[in-house]
Amino acid sequence: MPPAPLDRRGLLKALAATATLLAAGPLTTAPAEATTSLTAWTTQSLEAFADTLIPGQRRHAGDLPIVGVVTGPGAVQAGAVQVLASPDLPLGPWLPGIAGLLDARALARAAAHLLWLPPGWPPFVGLPFQHRTALVTGLFDPDDPDRPIWQVLALLVGLAFDTAAHRHTTDALAAGHPGLAWIGFPAPDPDGLWRFPEHSYDRPLAALHPNTTASGSPA
């Protein structure tokens, strides 16, 4: 029996709610709890999507979702799927359908380019990396009707790597979060707060006006 068509109106509402929640503050669900509702098939498709955006090295031999085109950590190691599946966000129930959209695109590309796909794996996972990259690039075409879906997913993948959105920043740093470590995110001061006494230009941007008060206000 073919899968039911995806309710794109409902999905767009979930995407809008996701963007609102992300603006409101950090996620609070523990990483271990985030992916319990996902099937292996859906997880593998989402991992391959995340690895296409921010590639990383393979976790073990035969790790097909991660192609391993680079050394060092990528989005999957940084918790991208945990962020996507977080119960704090309304996307969880939609992820199997989103993965299905991605795999349908992969099947079409494989047919158009006469590509062999390994059995037992999601179609997108089976694509060679250059074809994954070309497919994902096309998802963001202004004329693609599903572009908002991929834009929000890409945002979440980036947040997982750059900010460890599914964990408190101090906890993520203490645990050696691979994304934060890779970008050199600084540790907090001993009291757990971040202060930046040295500014990026490291010099005054303009001469101080002689009538400026001690508080820095203009006279």
Side-chain angles (χ1 to χ4, degrees):
M1 178 181 296
L6 189 66
D7 176 12
R8 283 173 168 78
R9 183 183 297 272
L11 176 53
L12 289 174
K13 291 180 179 178
L15 292 171
T18 296
T20 301
L21 289 169
L22 289 173
L27 306 179
T28 59
T29 303
E33 302 172 9
T35 59
T36 55
S37 63
L38 296 182
T39 65
W41 193 274
T42 297
T43 298
Q44 291 162 358
S45 295
L46 296 176
E47 286 181 341
F49 176 79
D51 184 66
T52 306
L53 293 173
I54 306 177
Q57 64 189 36
R58 283 180 163 164
R59 295 163 290 189
H60 51 78
D63 186 6
L64 288 190
I66 297 179
V67 179
V69 295
V70 301
T71 58
V76 175
Q77 292 92 336
V81 176
Q82 286 88 341
V83 173
L84 292 174
S86 172
D88 295 336
L89 301 175
L91 276 185
W94 301 95
L95 291 178
I98 293 173
L101 280 179
L102 189 64
D103 286 327
R105 300 286 187 101
L107 280 173
R109 185 170 185 87
H113 294 269
L114 301 178
L115 300 174
W116 177 82
L117 297 177
W121 292 89
F124 186 76
V125 172
L127 288 179
F129 187 73
Q130 65 269 29
H131 286 278
R132 287 190 193 180
T133 301
L135 190 157
V136 169
T137 299
L139 298 178
F140 298 98
D141 190 284
D143 296 328
D144 192 297
D146 295 323
R147 186 186 185 197
I149 299 173
W150 313 116
Q151 287 177 318
V152 172
L153 257 64
L155 170 64
L156 292 170
V157 169
L159 288 175
F161 189 85
D162 293 335
T163 73
H166 56 306
R167 308 191 67 174
H168 192 285
T169 304
T170 53
D171 295 338
L173 285 170
H177 180 268
L180 296 181
W182 188 260
I183 66 175
F185 195 89
D189 291 337
D191 59 0
L193 299 178
W194 278 266
R195 299 175 179 85
F196 302 94
E198 296 182 7
H199 303 289
S200 59
Y201 292 100
D202 201 27
R203 60 185 176 84
L205 298 182
L208 194 65
H209 191 278
N211 292 332
T212 302
T213 66
S215 67
S217 301

